[in-house]
Amino acid sequence: TQLLEQSPQFLSIQEGENLTVYCNYSSVFSSLQWYRQEPGEGPVLLVTVVTGGEVKKLKRLTFQFGDARKDSSLHITAAQPGDTGLYLCAGAGGSQGNLIFGKGTKLSVKP
Amino acid sequence: ETGVTQSPTHLIKTRGQQVTLRCSSQSGHNTVSWYQQALGQGPQFIFQYYREEENGRGNFPPRFSGLQFPNYSSELNVNALELDDSALYLCASSHGTSRYNEQFFGPGTRLTVL
């Protein structure tokens, strides 16, 4: 059972455009983590959000945690080809110390 | 500070064979988690090891087993390989007392079962 739903599943945009990807979940997690994964590589941690309503910025990336801690978004401003990859959200707080992942949003930024 | 390393990077096996994958955790981390990532899917939790003991397990059959060593490195063993075991196997390390369970991943081992 997939507790986290990510949307859209695929996104193809031109360099310089803005975009937002979403992560919604049916449980409340103690924290939410966003990762970026390139083909053939492991996921790389981008940010951890913990507090409802929290906003974190990482250069052109803005991460938001919903007030009720049941949704999160990632906004990229002026996307670049280097932003291409699979963006995964993962909830922490599983009973076994595991992260629960969504299926990811596959982003392609064309020059 | 060294990151998480995994070996081998790629592996091809046939059905029924057994495989061992290896992981060295990031320095300072005492917890290792293993995930299976099928094509087009997010990682699925297999199990976690903390201080050489299995600390939690996902919905995987007993033919998936593991070990953690005193230096916190870990092995994932899969017996009686099936075609559906073809996937990217990811190891992640963390500190057992980390409040937010931030996990840091290795590059993965791509397993192909023919």
Side-chain angles (χ1 to χ4, degrees):
Chain A
T1 303
Q2 194 68 261
L3 297 178
L4 279 86
E5 298 289 336
Q6 290 191 245
S7 61
Q9 191 175 353
F10 299 97
L11 191 55
S12 181
I13 61 172
Q14 293 294 129
E15 183 176 2
E17 292 183 2
N18 300 332
L19 67 114
T20 302
V21 298
Y22 300 92
C23 177
N24 296 282
Y25 27 95
S26 54
S27 297
V28 175
F29 293 108
S30 60
S31 69
L32 191 88
Q33 295 164 30
W34 283 93
Y35 291 82
R36 183 172 73 211
Q37 184 178 26
E38 299 191 21
E41 300 289 327
V44 175
L45 180 63
L46 296 174
V47 77
T48 299
V49 286
V50 177
T51 307
E54 183 176 6
V55 176
K56 281 192 173 178
K57 293 193 174 184
L58 185 67
K59 297 183 181 178
R60 294 176 292 101
L61 279 60
T62 302
F63 303 85
Q64 188 158 7
F65 205 12
D67 290 341
R69 294 164 59 200
K70 299 193 76 171
D71 60 273
S72 182
S73 63
L74 158 60
H75 181 80
I76 301 178
T77 303
Q80 298 176 0
D83 296 327
T84 293
L86 179 69
Y87 288 82
L88 294 159
C89 66
S95 59
Q96 304 184 75
N98 54 301
L99 294 176
I100 298 171
F101 282 86
K103 290 186 178 182
T105 292
K106 192 169 184 181
L107 172 65
S108 173
V109 182
K110 298 179 180 177
Chain B
E1 182 179 280
T2 53
V4 179
T5 60
Q6 292 186 243
S7 63
T9 54
H10 295 86
L11 204 50
I12 299 175
K13 292 283 188 179
T14 56
R15 274 186 303 174
Q17 285 189 310
Q18 177 266 342
V19 69
T20 298
L21 310 182
R22 295 178 175 83
C23 170
S24 291
S25 60
Q26 183 170 310
S27 58
H29 287 177
N30 56 14
T31 302
V32 171
S33 303
W34 286 92
Y35 293 81
Q36 180 195 66
Q37 187 177 22
L39 206 59
Q41 303 292 318
Q44 297 290 314
F45 175 68
I46 302 174
F47 43 57
Q48 182 181 86
Y49 278 84
Y50 172 64
R51 292 184 175 178
E52 303 177 58
E53 297 283 336
E54 187 178 289
N55 189 47
R57 188 179 184 91
N59 190 25
F60 280 81
R63 59 189 185 85
F64 285 78
S65 63
L67 284 173
Q68 187 179 32
F69 300 99
N71 66 354
Y72 304 125
S73 66
S74 178
E75 285 183 356
L76 164 65
N77 298 289
V78 187
N79 293 322
L81 283 166
E82 301 177 358
L83 296 180
D84 284 349
D85 296 333
S86 294
L88 181 68
Y89 287 85
L90 296 162
C91 165
S93 77
S94 56
H95 197 283
T97 58
S98 168
R99 183 178 177 188
Y100 306 124
N101 195 18
E102 291 178 328
Q103 298 186 10
F104 297 86
F105 285 82
T109 293
R110 171 71 62 187
L111 173 65
T112 302
V113 182
L114 303 176

